[in-house]
Amino acid sequence: MWIDTHCHLDAREFGGEWLRVAADAAARGVSMIVIPAVTVDNFAAVAQLGAAAPNACYALGIHPICVPQASENDLATMRACVAAAMADPNFVAIGEVGLDFFLPHLAEPAMREKQVYFFREQLKIAREFGLPILTHVRKSQDQVLKHVRQIPPAGGIAHAFNGSFQQAQGYIEVGFKLGFGGNLTFTRALQIRRLAEQLPLSSIVMETDAPDIAPQWLHPGVNTPDQVPAIGAVLAELRGVAVEEVRAVTTANARAVLPRLGSVPNGD
């Protein structure tokens, strides 16, 4: 079975058909979908989906794109929600957290500083509760890695990784896995395809980031978690190995870096 380690199943693009989307993924062999939160306002939604869909679980965090609207109270709310969620077997990680220096308004000095503050505070929550993190690293791989080294969580995933081989090695050295998805299906995505082909398979997990980052055959449409097996087949072709090997190893990698997956009902 496959694991989609990053899917925004609560997104409006799915038109309220969240359970059908999850069921379609299960029918394609996707045994688990990890749903990261992006703001305290959708904590309840991702938790409800984690309970309602047999093949879903969730993470709690404040996304860097949502930091401009976030307040100090949100961090207090997050810590309280994480503390309560530790009793929920469907809760597996802190996320989606990190830094985004791609969008111009987020790269301005004041907003960079606020992003760093929120990321570090969420790293402290992850460390306090012994949780891995789902990390947003767009145009910020080195900076995210710096803060992870200073406030180490219990491992994590560098979501939608598109850095250098040296940066990849840095994440691997701190116990992270690297998330690959629809981007690797584009022949023009030369760096991502090189990374996917040449990095140790033991460092890779599968993800969709659905409804975003649709694979080549769906672009520019809405991505869905049932695309994981087809994306995995492209990864297998790039690496010259059997798709069964990619499925088995990436699933084992996801379970290793997100150990609470073993407690999720129907997680097998």
Side-chain angles (χ1 to χ4, degrees):
M1 304 294 279
W2 297 89
I3 294 177
D4 184 350
T5 60
H6 201 107
C7 170
H8 296 282
L9 191 61
D10 61 317
R12 65 172 62 91
E13 285 87 345
F14 295 126
E17 296 293 316
W18 306 298
L19 294 181
R20 179 190 59 77
V21 172
D24 288 348
R28 294 276 189 94
V30 181
S31 64
M32 189 53 57
I33 301 167
V34 182
I35 312 166
V38 296
T39 172
V40 294
D41 293 336
N42 80 322
F43 281 9
V46 298
Q48 289 165 5
L49 279 174
N55 62 328
C57 58
Y58 68 97
L60 298 178
I62 301 170
H63 194 296
I65 291 178
C66 298
V67 163
Q69 294 78 39
S71 70
E72 190 77 30
N73 288 339
D74 291 336
L75 289 169
T77 297
M78 177 178 163
R79 190 198 173 281
C81 288
V82 168
M86 291 300 292
D88 184 352
N90 293 306
F91 173 59
V92 299
I94 296 296
E96 178 176 357
V97 301
L99 302 171
D100 190 310
F101 299 144
F102 173 76
L103 296 174
H105 72 284
L106 294 178
E108 294 175 358
M111 198 50 60
R112 287 175 71 101
E113 183 177 344
K114 187 176 182 182
Q115 281 195 72
V116 167
Y117 173 74
F118 269 75
F119 181 41
R120 290 178 67 89
E121 291 301 303
Q122 291 179 98
L123 280 172
K124 292 174 186 176
I125 293 171
R127 185 173 63 178
E128 177 183 354
F129 291 96
L131 292 165
I133 63 174
L134 308 178
T135 311
H136 185 96
V137 297
R138 191 164 60 164
K139 297 293 184 182
S140 61
Q141 287 94 345
D142 288 336
Q143 296 92 335
V144 167
L145 185 56
K146 178 185 76 172
H147 297 296
V148 164
R149 284 172 170 155
Q150 292 174 354
I151 309 173
I157 297 172
H159 155 59
F161 186 77
N162 185 22
S164 67
F165 282 91
Q166 181 179 5
Q167 289 166 332
Q169 187 58 39
Y171 281 99
I172 294 168
E173 288 172 356
V174 296
F176 274 49
K177 304 298 183 185
L178 308 173
F180 285 86
N183 281 348
L184 67 81
T185 65
F186 291 86
T187 56
R188 68 178 183 272
L190 298 180
Q191 175 66 359
I192 291 174
R193 287 166 73 91
R194 279 192 293 265
L195 290 162
E197 176 187 359
Q198 298 174 27
L199 286 171
L201 188 56
S202 60
S203 69
I204 293 175
V205 294
M206 302 304 301
E207 63 177 30
T208 60
D209 199 29
D212 298 323
I213 314 185
Q216 181 273 328
W217 52 85
L218 286 182
H219 184 79
V222 173
N223 196 10
T224 49
D226 63 357
Q227 298 303 309
V228 169
I231 296 168
V234 176
L235 177 59
E237 183 179 2
L238 284 172
R239 299 183 69 92
V241 301
V243 67
E244 291 79 9
E245 179 180 351
V246 168
R247 180 182 62 206
V249 175
T250 60
T251 295
N253 294 343
R255 291 189 176 281
V257 77
L258 301 174
R260 285 176 65 96
L261 284 176
S263 301
V264 177
N266 303 313
D268 295 328

